[in-house]
């Protein structure tokens, strides 16, 4: 078979690119984090198009379950005086809280300046009345699989929300709508999507990812072997 | 009189590939930028389409190249691999070198044809780590995410350039649609290839469709 004589540049380029890809997979995490730090001082917002930059990654462990706002119910159960079943309107009629914070995932990506609106978890707990032996909360998602936990002290913080709006809009299914938990100072996995049940327990029951190796106290920058800037 | 340029197998492979890339690139952009997100009711479905189209690109390429019918394609791959001194000179002058005798592909086409399959493999590998992520550390997942996005950008730029250049040279495009180019085009734009296909040595004869 004839082939044109000459330098095998095509093969070198091909193999070189494969090598570049492999090196990139091995080292891209730190490059991406460095880019993110640079991008923080970018006033134009153009850095959002950088690899690793701007924008959410959507994770789920059991598909994207859909529930309309009218069908939605939030159960508050466990060690409480009055177990509650709240509708979406019940939640939105509680005093709204608005906060803007970065959102940091334990896998590295960060979304800057996310605007949340919701109610304080503490307000919801107080309506049900936590019994003295209630020391922790277990959260369950209506996807039928995801669970999370907080200690009572963590749950009563000013930056822990039952949220129903994200960046001024109703929370979409991808983002865990219509209602999700938002634990602003902790990594994303604490922020139970598709929140269905808030159960007061005696002690912390490790959640879905915590059974798979993530830390129960998921402070951004001070857990899971990461050194992200706190949110 | 027209000169055969691409066999039917090569053209089918090209257009199947083009269709798969269109789907993979557009679904990928939807994820990254939320384009058309309100139109998509089922995100998991879009993700499945993206992942399996991406794998389909690799599979389709193997189907096109490996069996007997891939002979013409393998031969062109070998042409793409080898660069003559004239072609290197042509590339260094960014296409302005006078009297460079180009073979079947110009250096731009050669770069494109070496880059795209390499990028497809890198994207498939990094995408697989992102999708079947359970066994991988967060470092690797992150690295795969970074590489996937970087190569996606490069692919978008390359494919856009490829389409624009093809639209600017209709005769070259005809080679990939109808399979033949005019004698004049072959003689003026690809003189070394023209000499090869019009010579009578049997080993230079271009394979035609069975």
């Amino acid at each position: 078979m004839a082939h044109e004589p000459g330098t095998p540049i095509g093969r070198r380029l091909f193999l070189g690119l494969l090598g570049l890809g492999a090196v990139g997979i091995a080292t891209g995490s730190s490059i991406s984090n460095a880019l993110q730090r640079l991008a923080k001082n970018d006033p134009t917002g153009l850095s959002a198009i950088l690899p690793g930059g701007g924008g959410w990654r959507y994770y789920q462990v059991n598909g994207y379950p859909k529930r309309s706002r009218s069908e939605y119910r939030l159960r508050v159960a466990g060690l409480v005086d009055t177990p509650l079943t709240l509708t979406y309107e019940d939640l939105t009629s509680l005093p709204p809280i608005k906060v803007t914070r970065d959102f940091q995932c334990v896998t590295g990506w960060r979304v800057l300046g996310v605007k949340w609106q919701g109610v304080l978890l503490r307000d919801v707990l107080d309506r049900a009345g936590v019994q003295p032996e209630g020391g922790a909360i277990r959260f369950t998602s209506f996807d039928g699989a995801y669970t999370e936990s907080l200690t009572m002290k963590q749950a009563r913080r000013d930056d822990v929300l039952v949220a129903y709006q994200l960046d001024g809009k109703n929370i979409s299914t991808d983002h865990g709508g219509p209602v999700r938990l938002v634990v602003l100072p902790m990594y994303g996995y604490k922020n139970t999507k598709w929140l269905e049940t808030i159960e007061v327990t005696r002690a912390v029951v490790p959640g879905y990812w915590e059974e798979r190796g993530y830390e129960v106290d998921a402070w951004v920058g001070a857990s899971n072997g990461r050194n992200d800037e706190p949110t | 009189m027209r000169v055969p340029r691409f066999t039917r197998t090569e053209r089918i492979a090209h257009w199947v590939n083009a269709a798969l890339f269109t789907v993979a690139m557009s679904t990928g952009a939807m994820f990254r930028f939320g384009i058309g997100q309100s139109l998509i009711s089922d995100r998991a479905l879009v993700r499945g389409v993206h992942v399996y189209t991406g794998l389909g690109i690799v599979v389709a390429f193997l189907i096109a190249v490996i069996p007997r019918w891939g002979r013409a394609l393998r031969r062109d791959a070998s042409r793409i691999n080898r660069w003559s001194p004239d072609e290197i000179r042509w590339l260094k002058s960014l296409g302005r070198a006078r009297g460079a005798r180009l073979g079947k592909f110009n250096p731009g086409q050669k770069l494109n044809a070496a880059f795209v399959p390499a990028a497809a493999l890198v994207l498939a590998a990094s995408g697989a780590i992102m999708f079947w992520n359970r066994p991988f550390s967060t470092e690797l997942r992150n690295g795969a995410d970074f590489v996937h996005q970087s190569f996606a950008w490069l692919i978008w730029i390359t494919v856009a350039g490829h389409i624009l250049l093809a639209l600017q040279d209709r005769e070259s495009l005809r080679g990939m649609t109808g399979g033949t180019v005019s004698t004049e085009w072959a003689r003026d734009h690809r003189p070394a290839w023209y000499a090869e296909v019009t010579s009578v040595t049997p080993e230079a004869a271009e394979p035609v469709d069975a």
Side-chain angles (χ1 to χ4, degrees), chain A residues 38-195:
Chain A
L38 283 178
K40 266 179 60 171
N41 306 317
D42 165 30
T44 64
L46 285 175
S47 57
I49 67 169
L50 284 175
W56 298 84
R57 314 288 190 283
Y58 303 92
Y59 297 148
Q60 41 76 26
V61 299
N62 194 28
Y64 293 89
K66 279 201 187 66
R67 198 159 290 187
S68 69
R69 291 191 291 282
S70 58
E71 290 166 331
Y72 179 77
R73 296 291 181 275
L74 176 64
R75 291 192 332 113
V76 186
L79 303 171
V80 290
D81 299 331
T82 330
L84 300 174
T85 301
L86 302 174
T87 64
Y88 188 83
E89 284 69 34
D90 291 337
L91 278 175
T92 51
S93 63
L94 290 172
I97 301 289
K98 287 186 183 188
V99 276
T100 303
R101 277 303 176 87
D102 293 356
F103 188 93
Q104 174 76 48
C105 178
V106 73
T107 67
W109 53 269
R110 186 179 185 110
V111 184
L112 307 179
V114 181
K115 296 188 190 71
W116 297 102
Q117 182 174 326
V119 301
L120 285 179
L121 174 59
R122 186 172 65 206
D123 288 349
V124 176
L125 290 172
D126 289 347
R127 290 194 102 202
V130 175
Q131 294 175 355
E133 64 272 35
I137 322 277
R138 180 171 172 80
F139 303 94
T140 314
S141 155
F142 60 74
D143 70 351
Y146 202 76
T147 53
E148 252 308 334
S149 66
L150 287 175
T151 66
M152 190 57 71
K153 191 172 169 225
Q154 291 163 356
R156 297 194 66 84
R157 286 173 61 108
D158 291 336
D159 46 12
V160 179
L161 271 66
V162 175
Y164 48 80
Q165 276 197 12
L166 194 174
D167 289 336
K169 285 183 283 197
N170 293 326
I171 300 178
S172 65
T173 296
D174 299 338
H175 280 292
V179 175
R180 72 179 292 174
L181 182 68
V182 177
V183 184
L184 292 160
M186 293 196 179
Y187 284 110
Y189 65 89
K190 277 285 170 186
N191 298 242
T192 309
K193 288 174 160 186
W194 310 298
L195 182 63

